[in-house]
Amino acid sequence: MHGVLYTDQNNQAVSPLYTWQDGRGELIRRGQISYSRYASEITGYKMASGYGILTHFNNIENRLVPDGVRYIVTIADYIAIKLTKAKSPLMHISHAAALGAYDILHEKIDENALRKLEIDPAVVPEISGGYVKIGSYKGRSVFCAIGDNQASFLGSVQNPEKSILINIGTGSQVSVYTNELIHCDSMELRPFMKKDYLLVGSSLCGGYAYSLLEMFYSRVLKMAGVSYTGSLMPHMDKAAEKAYKEGRNPLRVSTKFSGTRENPYIRGSIKNIGIDNFTPEELCLGTLRGIVEELWEYYKAALPFIKGERTTLVGSGNSIKKSSLMTLLLSEAFKLPLFLTKHKEEASYGAALYALIGEGVFEDIKQAQSIIQYKKPDRIGGKP
């Protein structure tokens, strides 16, 4: 949701999609400091690599902006306008905030900050915080698209004030609801709907850390002349479960292989290596624990700022749903029982609830989220 693409005055894309994984923000500007650091210092806003405004700034300075650009939009905004054939794009505050230089108090992108980067503020579409219908597609209402983190929270959490949401996909996030403006250095305050917020800690690797380990094992097999084309994940899961049951002296794995949004130069590590635990099984388990512990670190840093006790841990994303061990490790780290939604694709479900609120089917978010149902995850061995 941090990514952008360029459109012309006819709402046609004139560029590829620059995703949240775009790394040009960490390139060095004029032989001095990175683009992300420069933009953060000059605007006063945290501008991590992959944020749309930062990507646009880099493109301007390197003359990479296509001809005929009228707007920068998210891919969700673009799909919405192509479905409805609306005259101009409309961007929800949850997407606007993801671009960077967002003034959360006044619910808009800071135009003065853009001008400091020599960006014309007119390139940003109109921004809305409500449930705005932008048109129809085949007789069905189409509403302004919302951010995937916000949609996932809306579609996963039954009681926002009492819950913690964990999502583990390629990246991973821990999200908690608040109705107050909170400043926490290690977490990002994002708009949820209008005048309420999500405090979010985002890991850049998340489930991708486990994929990196799979690629490592694949290369070991190739090095030994073994041809294997299937997924190694099921074998890795069993290996990690074996290590967990044996309960040996564990490896301590930091999965910050891509750094953090706060410090992109941090790298991962493997510690506590001994002759008894330097095994593939322990490395699988240690990597899973590392993913969990990075999220716990974010949440622990936010605890002094959060009012009210959180009593429910909710998990979403395939890396959680497909790993009974991951659910167990999360529950142990957060010291709470973990629940999964009975429905699939939580972000899509949340986007649908958002549209139903806009249509008047539900009176508000609280009523919409009340229909969410949970189930307990399977234990190791396959039984709930």
Side-chain angles (χ1 to χ4, degrees), residues 26-37:
E26 291 313 312
L27 297 175
I28 301 302
R29 180 180 182 270
R30 301 180 182 178
Q32 298 175 344
I33 58 177
S34 69
Y35 281 89
S36 62
R37 182 178 171 186

Side-chain angles (χ1 to χ4, degrees), residues 210-223:
Y210 207 48
S211 297
L212 285 174
L213 184 59
E214 181 187 34
M215 287 186 270
F216 171 78
Y217 288 142
S218 294
R219 293 186 68 171
V220 171
L221 290 175
K222 185 177 180 180
M223 181 179 67

